[in-house]
Amino acid sequence: MGAEITYVRGDATAPQGAGVRIIAHGCNDLGGWGKGFVLALSRRWPEPEAAYRAWHRGRAGNDFALGAVQLVEVGRYLRVANIVTQRGMRTARSSGVPVRYEAIDAGLATLGDHALRLGASVHMPRIGCGLAGGNWTRVEPLVVSRLAERGVAVTVYDR
């Protein structure tokens, strides 16, 4: 059981390795999809955005909330995990950051369950640390405890 994260330079939408791979990323709780890493996802596949928007639209009758995870199949061995990790979005008038570390923690725990069930590796940018304003020194230990220490291979992609 490894507890290491592999860091590489590259594109998280083109995950390295064989077998089932899950591309994980954070989403906001407003139904907004249009800035940051999601643009790279949408350039490759329409399904993650469509699924996220439908999930948000139907939130009165489903599990859409901070910390929730939606797995979207985009290929035979490839999934995208839409994880609701931020409250709202950063705007010119907003103060503070939208990232919610407890939502990242809960989402990664659920993602770990999915990855173990599927025998999958997890691939991600520095989740929660782009537009959401998070700090990797707070996120990295969550990735280690919720994924790597449970035996899930994790690759983090830096551009």
Side-chain angles (χ1 to χ4, degrees):
M1 235 198 227
E4 300 275 314
I5 298 172
T6 302
Y7 291 88
V8 300
R9 285 222 168 275
D11 181 355
T13 68
Q16 302 173 359
V20 178
R21 289 151 300 158
I22 300 171
I23 300 167
H25 72 105
C27 302
N28 63 69
D29 65 351
L30 297 177
W33 182 289
K35 287 186 177 169
F37 183 70
V38 298
L39 295 177
L41 287 172
S42 290
R43 278 193 291 274
R44 286 196 185 261
W45 310 283
E47 297 91 346
E49 178 180 359
Y52 168 76
R53 290 188 184 281
W55 188 31
H56 178 263
R57 257 192 323 276
R59 66 192 178 280
N62 65 35
D63 67 344
F64 186 94
L66 283 168
V69 177
Q70 179 189 51
L71 266 192
V72 182
E73 190 169 330
V74 294
R76 184 166 175 204
Y77 297 105
L78 193 58
R79 313 279 186 282
V80 170
N82 294 330
I83 308 172
V84 185
T85 59
Q86 63 188 75
R87 171 150 338 266
M89 291 182 274
R90 206 180 239 180
T91 66
R93 281 182 267 169
S94 62
S95 61
V97 295
V99 69
R100 294 295 179 266
Y101 295 106
E102 65 281 2
I104 292 174
D105 189 42
L108 291 175
T110 300
L111 178 61
D113 295 341
H114 288 303
L116 290 168
R117 179 176 49 79
L118 294 167
S121 56
V122 171
H123 304 260
M124 65 176 73
R126 291 185 186 235
I127 194 166
C129 297
L131 295 172
N135 186 321
W136 188 247
T137 60
R138 290 192 58 191
V139 175
E140 184 183 43
L142 304 176
V143 175
V144 169
S145 67
R146 297 302 190 175
L147 299 172
E149 287 179 353
R150 294 175 68 194
V152 176
V154 179
T155 303
V156 172
Y157 294 75
D158 289 313
R159 299 293 296 178

